[in-house]
Structures are given as structure tokens and as C-alpha cells.
PDB file of all heavy atoms in Angstrom:
ATOM      1  N   THR A   1     -74.199 -40.731 -59.288  1.00  0.00           N
ATOM      2  CA  THR A   1     -74.005 -39.282 -59.386  1.00  0.00           C
ATOM      3  C   THR A   1     -75.038 -38.528 -58.544  1.00  0.00           C
ATOM      4  O   THR A   1     -74.723 -37.488 -57.951  1.00  0.00           O
ATOM      5  CB  THR A   1     -74.095 -38.809 -60.847  1.00  0.00           C
ATOM      6  OG1 THR A   1     -75.317 -39.284 -61.436  1.00  0.00           O
ATOM      7  CG2 THR A   1     -72.915 -39.303 -61.665  1.00  0.00           C
ATOM      8  N   LEU A   2     -76.250 -39.054 -58.490  1.00  0.00           N
ATOM      9  CA  LEU A   2     -77.295 -38.408 -57.706  1.00  0.00           C
ATOM     10  C   LEU A   2     -77.156 -38.716 -56.219  1.00  0.00           C
ATOM     11  O   LEU A   2     -77.394 -37.843 -55.370  1.00  0.00           O
ATOM     12  CB  LEU A   2     -78.665 -38.838 -58.222  1.00  0.00           C
ATOM     13  CG  LEU A   2     -78.957 -38.346 -59.648  1.00  0.00           C
ATOM     14  CD1 LEU A   2     -80.132 -39.092 -60.250  1.00  0.00           C
ATOM     15  CD2 LEU A   2     -79.215 -36.852 -59.670  1.00  0.00           C
ATOM     16  N   ALA A   3     -76.740 -39.937 -55.887  1.00  0.00           N
ATOM     17  CA  ALA A   3     -76.558 -40.300 -54.478  1.00  0.00           C
ATOM     18  C   ALA A   3     -75.453 -39.474 -53.830  1.00  0.00           C
ATOM     19  O   ALA A   3     -75.573 -39.074 -52.664  1.00  0.00           O
ATOM     20  CB  ALA A   3     -76.252 -41.792 -54.356  1.00  0.00           C
ATOM     21  N   VAL A   4     -74.377 -39.211 -54.565  1.00  0.00           N
ATOM     22  CA  VAL A   4     -73.304 -38.367 -54.033  1.00  0.00           C
ATOM     23  C   VAL A   4     -73.863 -36.990 -53.676  1.00  0.00           C
ATOM     24  O   VAL A   4     -73.626 -36.460 -52.581  1.00  0.00           O
ATOM     25  CB  VAL A   4     -72.157 -38.231 -55.058  1.00  0.00           C
ATOM     26  CG1 VAL A   4     -71.211 -37.091 -54.675  1.00  0.00           C
ATOM     27  CG2 VAL A   4     -71.378 -39.540 -55.166  1.00  0.00           C
ATOM     28  N   GLN A   5     -74.620 -36.399 -54.583  1.00  0.00           N
ATOM     29  CA  GLN A   5     -75.152 -35.060 -54.355  1.00  0.00           C
ATOM     30  C   GLN A   5     -76.186 -35.039 -53.229  1.00  0.00           C
ATOM     31  O   GLN A   5     -76.199 -34.127 -52.395  1.00  0.00           O
ATOM     32  CB  GLN A   5     -75.791 -34.531 -55.639  1.00  0.00           C
ATOM     33  CG  GLN A   5     -74.808 -34.344 -56.787  1.00  0.00           C
ATOM     34  CD  GLN A   5     -75.526 -33.951 -58.076  1.00  0.00           C
ATOM     35  OE1 GLN A   5     -75.939 -32.809 -58.241  1.00  0.00           O
ATOM     36  NE2 GLN A   5     -75.677 -34.909 -58.973  1.00  0.00           N
ATOM     37  N   LEU A   6     -77.056 -36.042 -53.194  1.00  0.00           N
ATOM     38  CA  LEU A   6     -78.082 -36.088 -52.154  1.00  0.00           C
ATOM     39  C   LEU A   6     -77.448 -36.295 -50.782  1.00  0.00           C
ATOM     40  O   LEU A   6     -77.878 -35.679 -49.797  1.00  0.00           O
ATOM     41  CB  LEU A   6     -79.084 -37.198 -52.444  1.00  0.00           C
ATOM     42  CG  LEU A   6     -80.044 -36.948 -53.605  1.00  0.00           C
ATOM     43  CD1 LEU A   6     -80.925 -38.175 -53.831  1.00  0.00           C
ATOM     44  CD2 LEU A   6     -80.920 -35.720 -53.348  1.00  0.00           C
ATOM     45  N   ALA A   7     -76.452 -37.162 -50.689  1.00  0.00           N
ATOM     46  CA  ALA A   7     -75.790 -37.398 -49.408  1.00  0.00           C
ATOM     47  C   ALA A   7     -75.199 -36.093 -48.864  1.00  0.00           C
ATOM     48  O   ALA A   7     -75.334 -35.774 -47.670  1.00  0.00           O
ATOM     49  CB  ALA A   7     -74.706 -38.463 -49.553  1.00  0.00           C
ATOM     50  N   LYS A   8     -74.567 -35.312 -49.740  1.00  0.00           N
ATOM     51  CA  LYS A   8     -74.004 -34.023 -49.304  1.00  0.00           C
ATOM     52  C   LYS A   8     -75.114 -33.050 -48.929  1.00  0.00           C
ATOM     53  O   LYS A   8     -75.027 -32.349 -47.906  1.00  0.00           O
ATOM     54  CB  LYS A   8     -73.123 -33.429 -50.399  1.00  0.00           C
ATOM     55  CG  LYS A   8     -71.865 -34.205 -50.686  1.00  0.00           C
ATOM     56  CD  LYS A   8     -70.968 -34.339 -49.457  1.00  0.00           C
ATOM     57  CE  LYS A   8     -70.268 -33.041 -49.101  1.00  0.00           C
ATOM     58  NZ  LYS A   8     -69.253 -33.251 -48.031  1.00  0.00           N
ATOM     59  N   ALA A   9     -76.170 -33.010 -49.737  1.00  0.00           N
ATOM     60  CA  ALA A   9     -77.270 -32.077 -49.465  1.00  0.00           C
ATOM     61  C   ALA A   9     -77.960 -32.398 -48.147  1.00  0.00           C
ATOM     62  O   ALA A   9     -78.483 -31.490 -47.471  1.00  0.00           O
ATOM     63  CB  ALA A   9     -78.279 -32.119 -50.605  1.00  0.00           C
ATOM     64  N   TRP A  10     -77.960 -33.669 -47.753  1.00  0.00           N
ATOM     65  CA  TRP A  10     -78.647 -34.089 -46.539  1.00  0.00           C
ATOM     66  C   TRP A  10     -77.703 -34.243 -45.348  1.00  0.00           C
ATOM     67  O   TRP A  10     -78.060 -34.863 -44.346  1.00  0.00           O
ATOM     68  CB  TRP A  10     -79.399 -35.387 -46.799  1.00  0.00           C
ATOM     69  CG  TRP A  10     -80.553 -35.200 -47.751  1.00  0.00           C
ATOM     70  CD1 TRP A  10     -81.207 -34.029 -48.043  1.00  0.00           C
ATOM     71  CD2 TRP A  10     -81.195 -36.208 -48.544  1.00  0.00           C
ATOM     72  NE1 TRP A  10     -82.203 -34.247 -48.960  1.00  0.00           N
ATOM     73  CE2 TRP A  10     -82.238 -35.571 -49.296  1.00  0.00           C
ATOM     74  CE3 TRP A  10     -81.010 -37.579 -48.708  1.00  0.00           C
ATOM     75  CZ2 TRP A  10     -83.057 -36.267 -50.175  1.00  0.00           C
ATOM     76  CZ3 TRP A  10     -81.823 -38.274 -49.586  1.00  0.00           C
ATOM     77  CH2 TRP A  10     -82.841 -37.626 -50.301  1.00  0.00           C
ATOM     78  N   GLY A  11     -76.489 -33.693 -45.465  1.00  0.00           N
ATOM     79  CA  GLY A  11     -75.642 -33.553 -44.291  1.00  0.00           C
ATOM     80  C   GLY A  11     -74.668 -34.669 -44.001  1.00  0.00           C
ATOM     81  O   GLY A  11     -74.176 -34.775 -42.867  1.00  0.00           O
ATOM     82  N   ALA A  12     -74.351 -35.509 -44.970  1.00  0.00           N
ATOM     83  CA  ALA A  12     -73.344 -36.548 -44.733  1.00  0.00           C
ATOM     84  C   ALA A  12     -72.030 -35.902 -44.301  1.00  0.00           C
ATOM     85  O   ALA A  12     -71.623 -34.855 -44.827  1.00  0.00           O
ATOM     86  CB  ALA A  12     -73.131 -37.382 -45.991  1.00  0.00           C
ATOM     87  N   GLY A  13     -71.366 -36.539 -43.354  1.00  0.00           N
ATOM     88  CA  GLY A  13     -70.113 -35.984 -42.876  1.00  0.00           C
ATOM     89  C   GLY A  13     -68.983 -36.149 -43.861  1.00  0.00           C
ATOM     90  O   GLY A  13     -68.135 -35.266 -44.012  1.00  0.00           O
ATOM     91  N   ARG A  14     -68.952 -37.297 -44.535  1.00  0.00           N
ATOM     92  CA  ARG A  14     -67.883 -37.578 -45.501  1.00  0.00           C
ATOM     93  C   ARG A  14     -68.444 -38.508 -46.556  1.00  0.00           C
ATOM     94  O   ARG A  14     -68.997 -39.568 -46.231  1.00  0.00           O
ATOM     95  CB  ARG A  14     -66.669 -38.196 -44.814  1.00  0.00           C
ATOM     96  CG  ARG A  14     -65.409 -38.279 -45.672  1.00  0.00           C
ATOM     97  CD  ARG A  14     -64.200 -38.604 -44.801  1.00  0.00           C
ATOM     98  NE  ARG A  14     -62.973 -38.732 -45.568  1.00  0.00           N
ATOM     99  CZ  ARG A  14     -62.215 -37.708 -45.968  1.00  0.00           C
ATOM    100  NH1 ARG A  14     -62.574 -36.473 -45.669  1.00  0.00           N
ATOM    101  NH2 ARG A  14     -61.099 -37.910 -46.642  1.00  0.00           N
ATOM    102  N   VAL A  15     -68.313 -38.131 -47.815  1.00  0.00           N
ATOM    103  CA  VAL A  15     -68.790 -38.953 -48.928  1.00  0.00           C
ATOM    104  C   VAL A  15     -67.585 -39.516 -49.657  1.00  0.00           C
ATOM    105  O   VAL A  15     -66.719 -38.768 -50.126  1.00  0.00           O
ATOM    106  CB  VAL A  15     -69.675 -38.146 -49.898  1.00  0.00           C
ATOM    107  CG1 VAL A  15     -70.063 -39.004 -51.104  1.00  0.00           C
ATOM    108  CG2 VAL A  15     -70.927 -37.642 -49.190  1.00  0.00           C
ATOM    109  N   ILE A  16     -67.546 -40.844 -49.738  1.00  0.00           N
ATOM    110  CA  ILE A  16     -66.444 -41.564 -50.378  1.00  0.00           C
ATOM    111  C   ILE A  16     -66.985 -42.216 -51.642  1.00  0.00           C
ATOM    112  O   ILE A  16     -67.918 -43.027 -51.581  1.00  0.00           O
ATOM    113  CB  ILE A  16     -65.869 -42.629 -49.432  1.00  0.00           C
ATOM    114  CG1 ILE A  16     -65.350 -41.972 -48.141  1.00  0.00           C
ATOM    115  CG2 ILE A  16     -64.762 -43.436 -50.116  1.00  0.00           C
ATOM    116  CD1 ILE A  16     -65.199 -42.938 -46.989  1.00  0.00           C
ATOM    117  N   ALA A  17     -66.423 -41.861 -52.774  1.00  0.00           N
ATOM    118  CA  ALA A  17     -66.879 -42.386 -54.055  1.00  0.00           C
ATOM    119  C   ALA A  17     -65.890 -43.413 -54.582  1.00  0.00           C
ATOM    120  O   ALA A  17     -64.684 -43.299 -54.352  1.00  0.00           O
ATOM    121  CB  ALA A  17     -67.030 -41.249 -55.066  1.00  0.00           C
ATOM    122  N   THR A  18     -66.402 -44.409 -55.297  1.00  0.00           N
ATOM    123  CA  THR A  18     -65.527 -45.296 -56.060  1.00  0.00           C
ATOM    124  C   THR A  18     -65.954 -45.230 -57.522  1.00  0.00           C
ATOM    125  O   THR A  18     -67.135 -45.092 -57.831  1.00  0.00           O
ATOM    126  CB  THR A  18     -65.582 -46.761 -55.572  1.00  0.00           C
ATOM    127  OG1 THR A  18     -66.792 -47.385 -56.016  1.00  0.00           O
ATOM    128  CG2 THR A  18     -65.481 -46.841 -54.059  1.00  0.00           C
ATOM    129  N   ALA A  19     -64.971 -45.323 -58.403  1.00  0.00           N
ATOM    130  CA  ALA A  19     -65.238 -45.298 -59.843  1.00  0.00           C
ATOM    131  C   ALA A  19     -64.053 -45.906 -60.566  1.00  0.00           C
ATOM    132  O   ALA A  19     -62.940 -45.983 -60.028  1.00  0.00           O
ATOM    133  CB  ALA A  19     -65.499 -43.874 -60.330  1.00  0.00           C
ATOM    134  N   SER A  20     -64.271 -46.304 -61.821  1.00  0.00           N
ATOM    135  CA  SER A  20     -63.310 -47.140 -62.526  1.00  0.00           C
ATOM    136  C   SER A  20     -62.260 -46.378 -63.328  1.00  0.00           C
ATOM    137  O   SER A  20     -61.349 -46.997 -63.861  1.00  0.00           O
ATOM    138  CB  SER A  20     -64.060 -48.102 -63.465  1.00  0.00           C
ATOM    139  OG  SER A  20     -64.826 -47.363 -64.412  1.00  0.00           O
ATOM    140  N   SER A  21     -62.370 -45.061 -63.444  1.00  0.00           N
ATOM    141  CA  SER A  21     -61.386 -44.299 -64.203  1.00  0.00           C
ATOM    142  C   SER A  21     -61.161 -42.950 -63.546  1.00  0.00           C
ATOM    143  O   SER A  21     -61.984 -42.485 -62.742  1.00  0.00           O
ATOM    144  CB  SER A  21     -61.855 -44.081 -65.647  1.00  0.00           C
ATOM    145  OG  SER A  21     -62.948 -43.173 -65.682  1.00  0.00           O
ATOM    146  N   LYS A  22     -60.050 -42.318 -63.886  1.00  0.00           N
ATOM    147  CA  LYS A  22     -59.749 -41.007 -63.303  1.00  0.00           C
ATOM    148  C   LYS A  22     -60.820 -39.993 -63.665  1.00  0.00           C
ATOM    149  O   LYS A  22     -61.237 -39.182 -62.827  1.00  0.00           O
ATOM    150  CB  LYS A  22     -58.384 -40.511 -63.767  1.00  0.00           C
ATOM    151  CG  LYS A  22     -57.984 -39.171 -63.137  1.00  0.00           C
ATOM    152  CD  LYS A  22     -56.627 -38.708 -63.596  1.00  0.00           C
ATOM    153  CE  LYS A  22     -56.224 -37.413 -62.879  1.00  0.00           C
ATOM    154  NZ  LYS A  22     -57.201 -36.319 -63.060  1.00  0.00           N
ATOM    155  N   ASP A  23     -61.283 -40.010 -64.919  1.00  0.00           N
ATOM    156  CA  ASP A  23     -62.323 -39.068 -65.325  1.00  0.00           C
ATOM    157  C   ASP A  23     -63.578 -39.243 -64.483  1.00  0.00           C
ATOM    158  O   ASP A  23     -64.219 -38.265 -64.077  1.00  0.00           O
ATOM    159  CB  ASP A  23     -62.657 -39.246 -66.809  1.00  0.00           C
ATOM    160  CG  ASP A  23     -61.575 -38.691 -67.724  1.00  0.00           C
ATOM    161  OD1 ASP A  23     -60.687 -37.956 -67.232  1.00  0.00           O
ATOM    162  OD2 ASP A  23     -61.611 -38.999 -68.935  1.00  0.00           O
ATOM    163  N   LYS A  24     -63.950 -40.483 -64.218  1.00  0.00           N
ATOM    164  CA  LYS A  24     -65.149 -40.738 -63.422  1.00  0.00           C
ATOM    165  C   LYS A  24     -64.932 -40.330 -61.963  1.00  0.00           C
ATOM    166  O   LYS A  24     -65.843 -39.799 -61.316  1.00  0.00           O
ATOM    167  CB  LYS A  24     -65.540 -42.212 -63.514  1.00  0.00           C
ATOM    168  CG  LYS A  24     -66.053 -42.622 -64.894  1.00  0.00           C
ATOM    169  CD  LYS A  24     -66.501 -44.071 -64.907  1.00  0.00           C
ATOM    170  CE  LYS A  24     -67.081 -44.452 -66.264  1.00  0.00           C
ATOM    171  NZ  LYS A  24     -67.596 -45.828 -66.296  1.00  0.00           N
ATOM    172  N   ARG A  25     -63.731 -40.556 -61.464  1.00  0.00           N
ATOM    173  CA  ARG A  25     -63.448 -40.138 -60.085  1.00  0.00           C
ATOM    174  C   ARG A  25     -63.446 -38.611 -59.982  1.00  0.00           C
ATOM    175  O   ARG A  25     -63.940 -38.043 -59.002  1.00  0.00           O
ATOM    176  CB  ARG A  25     -62.128 -40.737 -59.608  1.00  0.00           C
ATOM    177  CG  ARG A  25     -62.180 -42.259 -59.448  1.00  0.00           C
ATOM    178  CD  ARG A  25     -60.975 -42.818 -58.746  1.00  0.00           C
ATOM    179  NE  ARG A  25     -59.766 -42.774 -59.552  1.00  0.00           N
ATOM    180  CZ  ARG A  25     -59.411 -43.708 -60.429  1.00  0.00           C
ATOM    181  NH1 ARG A  25     -60.208 -44.757 -60.646  1.00  0.00           N
ATOM    182  NH2 ARG A  25     -58.281 -43.611 -61.109  1.00  0.00           N
ATOM    183  N   ASP A  26     -62.918 -37.950 -60.999  1.00  0.00           N
ATOM    184  CA  ASP A  26     -62.938 -36.484 -61.012  1.00  0.00           C
ATOM    185  C   ASP A  26     -64.380 -35.963 -61.042  1.00  0.00           C
ATOM    186  O   ASP A  26     -64.698 -34.958 -60.400  1.00  0.00           O
ATOM    187  CB  ASP A  26     -62.155 -35.953 -62.214  1.00  0.00           C
ATOM    188  CG  ASP A  26     -60.655 -36.113 -62.062  1.00  0.00           C
ATOM    189  OD1 ASP A  26     -60.191 -36.374 -60.927  1.00  0.00           O
ATOM    190  OD2 ASP A  26     -59.941 -35.982 -63.078  1.00  0.00           O
ATOM    191  N   LEU A  27     -65.246 -36.638 -61.793  1.00  0.00           N
ATOM    192  CA  LEU A  27     -66.648 -36.250 -61.837  1.00  0.00           C
ATOM    193  C   LEU A  27     -67.271 -36.367 -60.450  1.00  0.00           C
ATOM    194  O   LEU A  27     -68.008 -35.470 -60.009  1.00  0.00           O
ATOM    195  CB  LEU A  27     -67.408 -37.123 -62.834  1.00  0.00           C
ATOM    196  CG  LEU A  27     -68.937 -36.950 -62.865  1.00  0.00           C
ATOM    197  CD1 LEU A  27     -69.320 -35.521 -63.244  1.00  0.00           C
ATOM    198  CD2 LEU A  27     -69.570 -37.949 -63.830  1.00  0.00           C
ATOM    199  N   ALA A  28     -67.004 -37.471 -59.759  1.00  0.00           N
ATOM    200  CA  ALA A  28     -67.557 -37.661 -58.418  1.00  0.00           C
ATOM    201  C   ALA A  28     -67.097 -36.555 -57.467  1.00  0.00           C
ATOM    202  O   ALA A  28     -67.888 -36.045 -56.663  1.00  0.00           O
ATOM    203  CB  ALA A  28     -67.157 -39.030 -57.880  1.00  0.00           C
TER     204      ALA A  28
END
């Protein structure tokens, strides 16, 4: 959860998340 936010804050062009449930993917 923190890596997703930091990657965006530091200028990542595209952040791709994986997670095991729809709720978790929605959170990402």
C-alpha cells in the first residue's frame, strides 16, 4: 500500500498492482 503511493509520488509513469481479491484491487 505504501509502495504504490510512493511510486506515484516519485513520478512513476504507470503503477501496476496485483492483489488477491476485488476489494484489495479496489484499494490499490
Side-chain angles (χ1 to χ4, degrees):
T1 53
L2 294 165
V4 166
Q5 296 174 76
L6 288 176
K8 293 301 287 188
W10 292 339
R14 191 167 178 82
V15 175
I16 301 161
T18 76
S20 60
S21 70
K22 183 179 184 303
D23 286 347
K24 291 183 177 183
R25 292 190 289 274
D26 287 345
L27 173 61

